[in-house]
C-alpha cells in the first residue's frame, strides 16, 4: 500500500476551484471543519478515478466552467471570489432555468458532500460512530486511509 495518494484528476485550477466550491457548500463553522480542503478533494479524486471516462470528463468540465463563471460575478476566477460572491454564483447554478447547470451543480455538490462525510474526522460532529460493521475490509484500502487522514496527499 502506498504511503502517498497522488491526486490524478483535480489538478491546478480544477483543484483550486473544487476546494473553493466545497468550502462554499460546507464552510467551517462552530468548530466544524471546512469541506474545502485537500482531504475532501483527495477522496473525490479517488472516486473520479473509478468513474466512467465520459462522466468524469463532464464533471471536470463543469468544474472548469465554474472556474470561469467567477469572472462574470466578480471579475476573478471562482476560487479568488469572496465567500458571498461564490455562494451567489452557486445559488444561481442551483436554481438556474438551464437544466444542465442545475444537474451539474447537484453533481458537484453531491461529490463535495461525499468527500466530506467520508472523512472520519467529521463524524464526531454528527454523533456518527462509523460503519455498523467496521471490521469488514474495504474493497480498496486506499479509501480507508484517505478517510482516516492516514495517507499523505500529493498534488
Amino acid at each position: 500500500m502506498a504511503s502517498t495518494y497522488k491526486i490524478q484528476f483535480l489538478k491546478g485550477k480544477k483543484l483550486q476551484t473544487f476546494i473553493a466550491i466545497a468550502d462554499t457548500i460546507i464552510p467551517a463553522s462552530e468548530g466544524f471543519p471546512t469541506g474545502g480542503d485537500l482531504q475532501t478533494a483527495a477522496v473525490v479524486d479517488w472516486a473520479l478515478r473509478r468513474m466512467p471516462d465520459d462522466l468524469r470528463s463532464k464533471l471536470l468540465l463543469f468544474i472548469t466552467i465554474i472556474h470561469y463563471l467567477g469572472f462574470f460575478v466578480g471579475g476573478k476566477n471562482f476560487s479568488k471570489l469572496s465567500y458571498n460572491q461564490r455562494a451567489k454564483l452557486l445559488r444561481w447554478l442551483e436554481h438556474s432555468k438551464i437544466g444542465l447547470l442545475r444537474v451539474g451543480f447537484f453533481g458537484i455538490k453531491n461529490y463535495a458532500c461525499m468527500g466530506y462525510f467520508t472523512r472520519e474526522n467529521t463524524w464526531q460532529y454528527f454523533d456518527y460512530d462509523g460503519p455498523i460493521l467496521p471490521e469488514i475490509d474495504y474493497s480498496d484500502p486506499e479509501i480507508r486511509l484517505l478517510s482516516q487522514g492516514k495517507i499523505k496527499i500529493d498534488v
Side-chain angles (χ1 to χ4, degrees):
M1 177 57 50
S3 61
T4 301
Y5 177 80
K6 176 84 172 139
I7 297 269
Q8 185 176 349
F9 297 103
L10 292 174
K11 294 185 163 283
K13 67 183 175 199
K14 287 181 180 75
L15 177 60
Q16 293 171 350
T17 303
F18 176 80
I19 287 174
I21 291 167
D23 181 59
T24 307
I25 293 171
I26 311 163
S29 65
E30 299 179 32
F32 285 60
T34 179
D37 67 10
L38 201 52
Q39 188 179 1
T40 299
V43 170
V44 171
D45 190 80
W46 178 91
L48 288 171
R49 213 168 61 196
R50 283 143 187 81
M51 186 183 284
D53 290 344
D54 62 330
L55 187 57
R56 179 178 52 242
S57 294
K58 289 174 186 173
L59 193 65
L60 292 171
L61 174 62
F62 192 70
I63 292 171
T64 301
I65 290 168
I66 292 173
H67 171 82
Y68 288 110
L69 281 174
F71 288 101
F72 294 101
V73 172
K76 306 174 196 169
N77 68 54
F78 185 83
S79 62
K80 302 255 193 267
L81 296 175
S82 71
Y83 173 84
N84 288 338
Q85 290 171 317
R86 294 190 324 250
K88 178 181 178 180
L89 176 53
L90 292 181
R91 274 192 308 275
W92 178 77
L93 291 170
E94 180 180 22
H95 299 288
S96 175
K97 292 182 181 185
I98 302 169
L100 286 175
L101 294 178
R102 284 193 317 274
V103 169
F105 169 77
F106 284 110
I108 199 69
K109 179 181 177 183
N110 284 331
Y111 271 89
C113 290
M114 180 268 312
Y116 181 75
F117 292 114
T118 299
R119 295 170 33 190
E120 291 187 19
N121 68 331
T122 65
W123 296 354
Q124 64 183 321
Y125 301 104
F126 308 99
D127 292 326
Y128 177 61
D129 297 326
I132 295 172
L133 304 170
E135 67 280 352
I136 293 179
D137 290 335
Y138 284 65
S139 60
D140 181 350
E142 192 170 45
I143 189 59
R144 178 78 172 160
L145 294 172
L146 281 170
S147 68
Q148 292 175 326
K150 292 184 177 178
I151 189 168
K152 183 180 178 226
I153 301 165
D154 182 18
V155 293

